[in-house]
Amino acid sequence: MATEERHNPFATAQPAGDGTTLDQQERERLRAQPLWRVRLKLLAGTLWNNWKLFTENKIGLIGLAIILFYAGLALAHPLLMGRVWDPLIYDPVIGFDPLAAPHPAPPSAQHWLGTDPLGRDVLSQLMFSTASEFILGMVAALITVTIGTSIGALAAYFGGWIDTFFMRLADLVITLPAIVLLIVLGGLFTLDLPLLALVIGILSGFGATTVIIKSQALTIKVRTYVEAAWVAGGSHWHIILRHIIPNLLPLTFLYMMFTVTDAIFAEAILSYFGLLNIRMSWGLMIHTTQSAGYLLNFQTWWLIVPPGLSITLLCAAFYLVGRALDEVVNPRLRKR
Amino acid sequence: MSETILRVENLTMHYTTRAGIVSAVDDVSFTLDEGESLGLVGESGCGKTSVANSLLKLLADNAVIKGGQIRFKGTDFVPLSEEEMRPYRWRNISMVFQAAMNSLNPVYRVGDQIIEALETHLGLYSHAQARQRVTELFTMVGLDPALMDQYPHEYSGGMRQRAVIAMALSCNPDLVIADEPTTALDVIVQDALLRQLKTLQEMIGMSMIYISHDIAVIAEVSDRIGVMYAGKLVELASADEIFHHPVHPYTVALMSAFPSVTGPKRELQTLAGEPPNLLYPPSGCRFHPRCPFATEICRQQEPEFKDHGGGHYAACWHPQEVTV
Amino acid sequence: MARYIAQRLLQIILTFFLFLALSYMLLEAMPGDFSQLFLQDPKLTLAQREAIAASLGLNRPPHERFFRYIGSFLRGDLGVSFQYYPRPVVDVILERAPRTLMLFISSTVVSFYVGFFVGKLLAWRRGRVLEYITTVGGVTLYTVFTPWFGLLMIWLFAFTLDWFPIGKFITPRLWRDAPVEANVVFNRMLLTALVVSIVLLTWFILTRRIDTRRRRVVHWGGMGLGLAVVVGIWGASGLGPYALNILHHLMLPVLTLTLISFAGTMLLTRNSMLETLREDYITTARAKGLPEKVIRDKHAARNAMLPVVTSLVFSLAFALSGGVITEGVFSWPGMGEVLLTSAVVQDIPMMMGALIFTAIFALLAHLVVDILYAFLDPRIRYG
């Protein structure tokens, strides 16, 4: 008791009723629980703290708000199609409104964002495309993170020729402009959405993400708890899976956000240049406008502004969230 | 003694942090005469460096001087703006920093970094003259003048520290503040450097403030010693007095924590506990949670920093009369 | 430093061969056959078809074809373009590459300079409102859908303000009686730019050591004099109006590409500056009583530049991507535009040629950045 107070005189300033200190009570309580529950609690506590740090940065919140807005649009589309909108008129791909002619028709009460040159509702196209953007982004990000984390951890842990090979590969992927490669792939293959997600995931997984995660893994590798695990006879896999990878997770989560931005952007570019086999997307909406010859006709702004703005906003939103997370993960950037 | 050049009165400095306000320097007062050397000693985190930085108003963005005066030759620094402070910095008061390893800019030649100060303060624009002065300075601190055209990463730790000292002396300042100047160096280099600093100080006749956590180092080079604890100056007296008649229990504890080579053999004692978290400083005397002599009054009332005879100041309710 | 550069050079050559191998694997993995498209012409008889296939080495095993591929690359033979038949791919690249270089280099230099300058100021004055505006604005510019942004630029500067032409390389009407071809004029412009920058760089290096107070006058005077000489020579040659016409067409794509890529440098510089400002040598500089501007520019920004230059490698790839898209939107007849059209019409030799060109260019740019870095960081220069 006396030594306890000497070691940390201020945390234990108020003795509880039964003579033990709050600190000790807390410890007893923790000891009584199963280990997983303690871990879960600690995790929840960390998440809550990080969330508080995240909300301090208004920029991240702006990004989150935009993401939620578009997620709302994506969810609302099937509901609207099922209940409010007539599929014959409002279907994003095969719909046609004979009453609103001539097409493209400017925004009206029936078509809030007007119709495209083929007589389809622009808002419906916009909302329909949102879901695939999210799915594309998430799938690509998951692939990236899986590849980046495992390769990064392996390269850092084993070093040697594994490291050399993957770092040269990463060098190549980083140096080559991704869009150029994707355009070539679009010319050689018939790219569709799942394939695109795979390609983007692989590209960014083997590129910058690996390098950054590897350098982080290197710093983790030399920490005392990894050495302790090693001395205690932990196998390579045990150390990588239980000690290195869990500590890389915050960083990988951060890089997921940037991959989502890249994926959405790449999809839009490829659809815009007509190199992607897709039914409907924001990029394709601009492509349609271009092939119908309305691209430089600035009176029909509703054909270009909604998809262009949406691509920009959603890309920016994920990027902003990524930056805000960066400040959470990387304390050096934080304001005091 | 001679004229007083620096008079610090009731200096109080706060840091605003995420967790709350940290009072890093609380009501600190002392004076410094021309040619005198003052040592400031205390555990890490007790506010020594904050005092040093406040003297030049080198404050972090979140630090603010809450009150008090810093009178240098009659001018109070506290109300001065950054731009008004500039002419005093380095020209009148210069510093040798704690982390000498990193206090040189890695992308410029060491000589050029000194010349830059000469240009700014002495208007020494001629390259030849400036290099002449750097040669003098390098010789003075025992560095080969040919080194001035090299980059910091080509220097060893001891050489860098000498270069930093040369830089601090470059504009003939009235006062040099040496903040843990030798901490990062090995013992032999440390000792040589300290002696050299002391010699240089006496040769040039400038005043000096030494800051260290090591009371043995301080004792070697200081005329007077101030002991700091938790942002407060708890004892201030001549080096001799501090060593032979320490008044504050903290000073006593500090001294018994260091071995003495020349003195009689005795058991080394360590002080239990850690310095308080300055976010929530203890009530009354800040030392009371660790003080073996603490009583009720220590917990409730702050002791006054007063003269215990012959310019021996201390802030304690139970002044010790021990002889070490 | 020679060792460092040699090492980087070796790594880059290694990377390039990795790239060649991967690009060959792509061709092999392509559905159908490399020259199926080429041989689709129904007028060809089966025997003719087989003869062509044999001459292309299609009946050989894969590893032999791979060495053939590498071999013809090393001989500088990238095949014949389908869409510009019978022009060799290398020929098209040689004609188009300077235009892309001009667009890319000018926008990269300008965007780096502006981005660095703004980022530096942002970190120095951390005002809340200003910071939000510039961060959100910067991120928006960085992530903006490039074709859409190009369209906005055309709408604003070409349609509404009528400052610049809408797209393309030259105004055909003006060039009808021109004494020389547009490409000749353009290559001369490129040469001029190269010579001027080398001369100015030498000038700056030579005058580095003179008296601080006079240096500024000498620098700006030298720059002014250089520009005056260039304007004089072009004016006397009689090609001035033509050069101006090309320059006029170049402005809007450069502006667009600059705006897109400057934001990245800006945000990065800001972060790097914020970290540098916490370094001990910045405190030393403050303690030395140096003027704010000197601390900011000479001490903080100079060090903050190092990580920014390192990440130039990332931004180069980003700017190259942006360049391809910008060329597409403004129909600027460079490599990017060729790449796009050949991807759409499946002109595979041309496409692969453009890809290889991009790879070589990107890797060389990588090397240039590495050398630049070595010069900027004395720890490597004298390491």
Side-chain angles (χ1 to χ4, degrees):
Chain A
M1 170 71 208
T3 49
E4 188 69 42
E5 197 164 298
R6 281 204 141 187
H7 273 301
N8 196 351
F10 305 103
T12 57
Q14 318 132 284
D18 56 357
T20 58
T21 60
L22 281 178
D23 202 30
Q24 273 179 332
Q25 279 184 329
E26 181 73 18
R27 247 179 245 175
E28 290 298 321
R29 225 158 41 77
L30 283 176
R31 225 172 263 149
Q33 292 174 349
L35 197 59
W36 62 266
R37 200 184 286 173
V38 177
R39 283 210 176 127
L40 205 68
K41 236 182 167 158
L42 282 175
L43 183 70
T46 322
L47 284 181
W48 175 241
N49 277 337
N50 284 340
W51 168 250
K52 276 198 295 189
L53 277 176
F54 180 80
T55 52
E56 264 178 35
N57 193 333
K58 297 286 169 295
I59 285 172
L61 287 181
I62 294 174
L64 199 60
I66 296 174
I67 293 173
L68 288 178
F69 171 73
Y70 277 98
L73 283 190
L75 291 176
H77 189 258
L79 292 178
L80 282 174
M81 287 304 285
R83 287 154 204 259
V84 186
W85 285 346
D86 179 359
L88 282 177
I89 296 175
Y90 286 96
D91 187 280
V93 185
I94 50 166
F96 181 79
D97 190 350
L99 297 177
H103 296 295
S108 61
Q110 283 80 40
H111 304 284
W112 287 7
L113 290 177
T115 60
D116 79 347
L118 303 176
R120 304 175 291 189
D121 184 73
V122 172
L123 180 62
S124 174
Q125 291 180 332
L126 194 76
M127 290 169 75
F128 176 77
S129 310
T130 314
S132 48
E133 305 291 347
F134 272 101
I135 294 169
L136 168 80
M138 291 304 164
V139 172
L142 277 178
I143 296 173
T144 299
V145 160
T146 316
I147 296 176
T149 313
S150 36
I151 300 290
L154 286 179
Y157 190 81
F158 290 112
W161 66 266
I162 300 185
D163 185 31
T164 313
F165 175 75
F166 282 115
M167 285 306 114
R168 288 284 73 74
L169 187 64
D171 229 18
L172 177 65
V173 176
I174 290 169
T175 317
L176 265 190
I179 293 292
V180 171
L181 205 58
L182 286 171
I183 288 170
V184 170
L185 288 176
L188 288 177
F189 304 93
T190 319
L191 281 183
D192 53 13
L193 212 53
L195 194 58
L196 181 69
L198 186 69
V199 170
I200 294 173
I202 290 175
L203 276 184
S204 60
F206 280 110
T209 317
T210 305
V211 178
I212 288 155
I213 287 181
K214 184 203 136 190
S215 61
Q216 177 75 11
L218 274 180
T219 70
I220 293 169
K221 188 186 158 189
V222 296
R223 290 201 193 145
T224 23
Y225 53 81
V226 174
E227 271 173 29
W230 197 71
V231 170
S235 70
H236 289 326
W237 297 116
H238 172 83
I239 293 172
I240 291 176
L241 288 176
R242 295 299 294 274
H243 293 284
I244 294 185
I245 289 187
N247 283 294
L248 289 174
L249 285 180
L251 202 67
T252 56
F253 190 58
L254 170 68
Y255 279 88
M256 277 177 76
M257 297 299 142
F258 295 138
T259 310
V260 174
T261 299
D262 291 346
I264 295 174
F265 188 82
E267 182 279 324
I269 291 288
L270 288 182
S271 323
Y272 167 69
F273 287 120
L275 292 168
L276 193 64
N277 181 21
I278 193 170
R279 285 179 74 219
M280 182 48 61
S281 81
W282 292 338
L284 194 67
M285 289 166 75
I286 304 184
H287 178 72
T288 315
T289 309
Q290 187 181 31
S291 11
Y294 284 96
L295 194 63
L296 290 178
N297 179 355
F298 293 106
Q299 271 86 53
T300 56
W301 57 269
W302 63 90
L303 295 178
I304 315 167
V305 173
L309 192 65
S310 294
I311 298 164
T312 306
L313 279 181
L314 199 57
C315 283
F318 277 102
Y319 190 82
L320 286 174
V321 170
R323 271 182 75 85
L325 283 176
D326 200 7
E327 296 201 2
V328 175
V329 176
N330 186 354
R332 283 176 306 172
L333 299 177
R334 228 178 276 156
K335 265 174 265 176
R336 272 158 302 196
Chain B
M1 264 173 107
S2 44
E3 204 187 333
T4 299
I5 58 163
L6 182 70
R7 186 180 293 279
V8 175
E9 273 164 21
N10 312 97
L11 181 66
T12 302
M13 195 263 270
H14 285 177
Y15 289 107
T16 323
T17 65
R18 193 175 290 278
I21 288 175
V22 174
S23 47
V25 179
D26 193 1
D27 205 15
V28 166
S29 308
F30 61 88
T31 61
L32 188 68
D33 290 340
E34 207 179 321
E36 189 193 18
S37 63
L38 172 75
L40 278 183
V41 68
E43 288 165 293
S44 44
C46 71
K48 304 168 301 219
T49 301
S50 297
V51 170
N53 289 344
S54 303
L55 293 184
L56 270 179
K57 294 206 18 182
L58 287 176
L59 302 173
D61 302 340
N62 60 341
V64 58
I65 294 183
K66 278 294 195 193
Q69 291 186 333
I70 303 166
R71 288 202 167 275
F72 178 80
K73 290 188 169 171
T75 318
D76 186 6
F77 283 170
V78 174
L80 293 191
S81 72
E82 190 78 351
E83 199 49 36
E84 289 166 328
M85 265 310 288
R86 254 194 349 102
Y88 292 100
R89 289 182 180 157
W90 225 250
R91 179 72 192 88
N92 296 107
I93 304 181
S94 68
M95 259 180 122
V96 176
F97 285 98
Q98 196 165 14
M101 300 307 254
N102 306 323
S103 54
L104 289 169
N105 193 327
V107 300
Y108 295 112
R109 293 168 207 272
V110 176
D112 290 350
Q113 296 188 44
I114 299 178
I115 290 175
E116 180 184 50
L118 297 174
E119 275 182 5
T120 312
H121 293 291
L122 306 180
L124 207 59
Y125 289 108
S126 144
H127 214 72
Q129 275 181 346
R131 287 180 71 86
Q132 182 55 40
R133 173 77 181 135
V134 176
T135 309
E136 263 170 51
L137 287 165
F138 267 44
T139 322
M140 213 151 74
V141 297
L143 277 177
D144 179 1
L147 286 170
M148 76 168 95
D149 288 324
Q150 296 202 351
Y151 288 89
H153 74 273
E154 296 169 285
Y155 279 49
S156 71
M159 280 153 76
R160 262 184 247 189
Q161 192 57 276
R162 283 171 199 272
V164 167
I165 292 170
M167 187 152 82
L169 300 177
S170 60
C171 301
N172 284 322
D174 303 293
L175 165 63
V176 172
I177 303 169
D179 185 358
E180 307 254 9
T182 57
T183 309
L185 306 172
D186 61 71
V187 188
I188 297 182
V189 182
Q190 227 180 58
D191 199 53
L193 257 177
L194 273 178
R195 277 170 210 286
Q196 190 151 29
L197 254 173
K198 184 73 190 155
T199 322
L200 284 171
Q201 184 217 345
E202 278 162 5
M203 198 173 84
I204 302 170
M206 62 191 178
S207 314
M208 229 166 154
I209 295 181
Y210 288 95
I211 294 173
S212 178
H213 61 273
D214 186 341
I215 200 165
V217 166
I218 289 286
E220 213 174 314
V221 289
S222 311
D223 302 329
R224 277 195 305 153
I225 293 178
V227 180
M228 285 196 71
Y229 184 77
K232 283 189 148 308
L233 196 60
V234 293
E235 187 159 4
L236 176 67
S238 70
D240 210 45
E241 274 283 309
I242 289 275
F243 258 75
H244 298 109
H245 311 286
V247 163
H248 201 279
Y250 179 64
T251 313
V252 178
L254 258 189
M255 282 199 303
S256 49
F258 285 96
S260 155
V261 181
T262 50
K265 268 192 187 168
R266 60 187 162 79
E267 203 176 317
L268 289 183
Q269 286 166 358
T270 50
L271 184 62
E274 287 158 25
N277 182 347
L278 289 180
L279 271 173
Y280 316 102
S283 59
C285 172
R286 289 187 179 182
F287 188 57
H288 84 254
R290 294 167 83 187
C291 182
F293 308 99
T295 57
E296 201 49 40
I297 190 166
C298 301
R299 293 193 186 93
Q300 278 158 12
Q301 268 182 24
E302 224 175 294
E304 198 190 334
F305 189 63
K306 62 172 189 231
D307 197 345
H308 286 254
H312 191 144
Y313 290 85
C316 183
W317 290 115
H318 307 293
Q320 302 300 298
E321 301 297 341
V322 284
T323 328
V324 181
Chain C
M1 184 170 74
R3 238 190 83 201
Y4 166 80
I5 289 174
Q7 197 188 344
R8 293 299 302 155
L9 194 65
L10 199 73
Q11 281 178 351
I12 278 172
I13 290 172
L14 211 75
T15 312
F16 181 70
F17 276 96
L18 190 64
F19 161 79
L20 274 188
L22 288 178
S23 69
Y24 178 74
M25 270 155 66
L26 267 187
L27 278 179
E28 284 286 317
M30 188 192 138
D33 198 279
F34 166 71
S35 43
Q36 205 84 103
L37 286 154
F38 194 52
L39 300 175
Q40 265 165 0
D41 195 338
K43 279 178 281 184
L44 292 173
T45 65
L46 200 66
Q48 277 174 318
R49 224 174 263 209
E50 261 163 22
I52 295 176
S55 77
L56 285 170
L58 292 178
N59 47 2
R60 298 263 141 211
H63 67 271
E64 220 169 284
R65 288 212 302 269
F66 176 61
F67 287 118
R68 246 183 114 97
Y69 177 78
I70 301 269
S72 55
F73 167 76
L74 290 178
R75 282 196 308 275
D77 174 14
L78 295 175
V80 175
S81 161
F82 294 168
Q83 56 175 332
Y84 299 106
Y85 191 83
R87 286 183 73 187
V89 168
V90 176
D91 205 35
V92 181
I93 293 180
L94 285 181
E95 181 198 85
R96 299 244 175 166
R99 303 172 185 166
T100 296
L101 287 183
M102 183 75 156
L103 177 66
F104 177 78
I105 292 175
S106 43
S107 63
T108 303
V109 169
V110 175
S111 69
F112 184 81
Y113 193 81
V114 176
F116 189 75
F117 187 76
V118 179
K120 180 176 84 179
L121 293 185
L122 272 185
W124 194 249
R125 314 200 170 282
R126 299 195 68 182
R128 282 199 153 268
V129 179
L130 188 72
E131 196 173 327
Y132 283 141
I133 292 174
T134 44
T135 311
V136 172
V139 169
T140 313
L141 272 179
Y142 186 68
T143 57
V144 74
F145 184 50
T146 319
W148 184 62
F149 183 66
L151 286 174
L152 287 182
M153 296 293 282
I154 292 179
W155 172 73
L156 181 65
F157 289 107
F159 268 86
T160 314
L161 297 172
D162 201 18
W163 286 358
F164 302 111
I166 288 176
K168 303 265 194 289
F169 187 48
I170 49 170
T171 314
R173 196 162 30 82
L174 180 74
W175 286 76
R176 213 170 292 147
D177 335 297
V180 285
E181 264 186 77
N183 246 7
V184 176
V185 178
F186 187 72
N187 288 344
R188 259 187 229 176
M189 288 165 71
L190 210 60
L191 196 68
T192 314
L194 191 71
V195 170
V196 167
S197 35
I198 290 175
V199 167
L200 279 186
L201 194 70
T202 325
W203 179 247
F204 273 70
I205 290 175
L206 284 181
T207 55
R208 200 172 35 147
R209 281 265 163 206
I210 63 171
D211 192 320
T212 336
R213 286 164 306 174
R214 254 180 299 162
R215 202 185 304 158
R216 188 175 286 264
V217 184
V218 173
H219 278 179
W220 287 102
M223 236 152 96
L225 193 71
L227 286 180
V229 168
V230 168
V231 170
I233 291 175
W234 275 94
S237 73
L239 293 175
Y242 298 106
L244 279 181
N245 183 246
I246 293 181
L247 218 55
H248 197 201
H249 281 82
L250 184 65
M251 296 283 233
L252 200 51
V254 167
L255 186 64
T256 309
L257 196 50
T258 304
L259 280 176
I260 294 164
S261 35
F262 112 97
T265 311
M266 176 186 87
L267 297 172
L268 213 83
T269 308
R270 173 183 161 272
N271 279 1
S272 171
M273 246 326 240
L274 285 181
E275 285 191 27
T276 310
L277 286 176
R278 295 188 182 188
E279 295 283 351
D280 292 321
Y281 51 77
I282 299 302
T283 318
T284 311
R286 279 178 70 199
K288 270 157 88 177
L290 301 176
E292 295 240 313
K293 211 169 144 326
V294 174
I295 301 175
R296 186 191 70 200
D297 295 346
K298 197 176 157 193
H299 288 272
R302 177 66 175 68
N303 278 286
M305 189 190 265
L306 296 176
V308 180
V309 169
T310 311
S311 67
L312 250 184
V313 176
F314 292 82
S315 7
L316 285 179
F318 181 83
L320 272 173
S321 291
V324 171
I325 301 163
T326 310
E327 284 188 10
V329 174
F330 287 93
S331 7
W332 176 259
M335 287 307 297
E337 201 246 5
V338 156
L339 174 74
L340 276 170
T341 49
S342 49
V344 172
V345 304
Q346 294 201 301
D347 176 358
I348 292 169
M350 191 64 242
M351 202 162 74
M352 292 311 288
L355 181 65
I356 290 175
F357 167 79
T358 316
I360 294 177
F361 182 63
L363 286 171
L364 280 182
H366 196 333
L367 187 67
V368 169
V369 170
D370 281 340
I371 294 174
L372 186 68
Y373 187 85
F375 267 106
L376 286 175
D377 191 343
R379 280 161 292 191
I380 290 182
R381 203 178 345 151
Y382 297 96

